[in-house]
Amino acid sequence: MTYKDRFVVAVKCGGKILREKDGAVYLPFGSEYSLLLKNLGSRKSSIQISIDGQDVLGGKSLLLNPNSSLELERFIESLDKGNKFK
């Protein structure tokens, strides 16, 4: 779990939040996972995500309202399709 400027990011696998060790999160090989994003601040947050250099949001960004959260489990190629994080 990473916390910076009232914004939290956690990696979930099998419904459980994985612990960070020395700045890294280790996943079982081949497992599907999701990203839990929480905005604890009082302003909207603009979010851009890349995994291993690949843009997750297809060149777009997400807006996360204050005091809200979002769980992202796949690449966003369009609103109705995209590969799950693996």
Side-chain angles (χ1 to χ4, degrees):
M1 187 176 322
T2 302
Y3 175 85
K4 184 176 181 181
D5 297 328
R6 307 208 36 88
F7 196 87
V8 179
V9 177
V11 178
K12 291 178 71 176
C13 182
K16 297 180 182 178
I17 294 176
L18 300 179
R19 298 262 180 224
E20 186 177 330
K21 183 178 180 183
D22 298 325
V25 175
Y26 297 93
L27 295 163
F29 183 77
S31 60
E32 291 183 351
Y33 64 94
S34 63
L35 300 175
L36 177 62
L37 312 167
K38 286 188 176 186
N39 181 4
L40 303 175
S42 59
R43 296 184 291 174
K44 288 183 181 180
S45 293
S46 177
I47 303 163
Q48 296 175 330
I49 304 169
S50 64
I51 297 175
D52 293 334
Q54 186 175 1
D55 186 3
V56 170
L57 303 173
K60 297 181 174 51
S61 61
L62 297 174
L63 285 179
L64 191 57
N65 287 324
N67 300 308
S68 62
S69 62
L70 167 74
E71 188 167 350
L72 191 64
E73 59 184 29
R74 64 181 178 90
F75 287 87
I76 307 297
E77 297 167 5
S78 69
L79 290 178
D80 61 345
K81 68 177 182 175
N83 295 330
K84 289 199 171 210
F85 298 141
K86 195 171 197 180

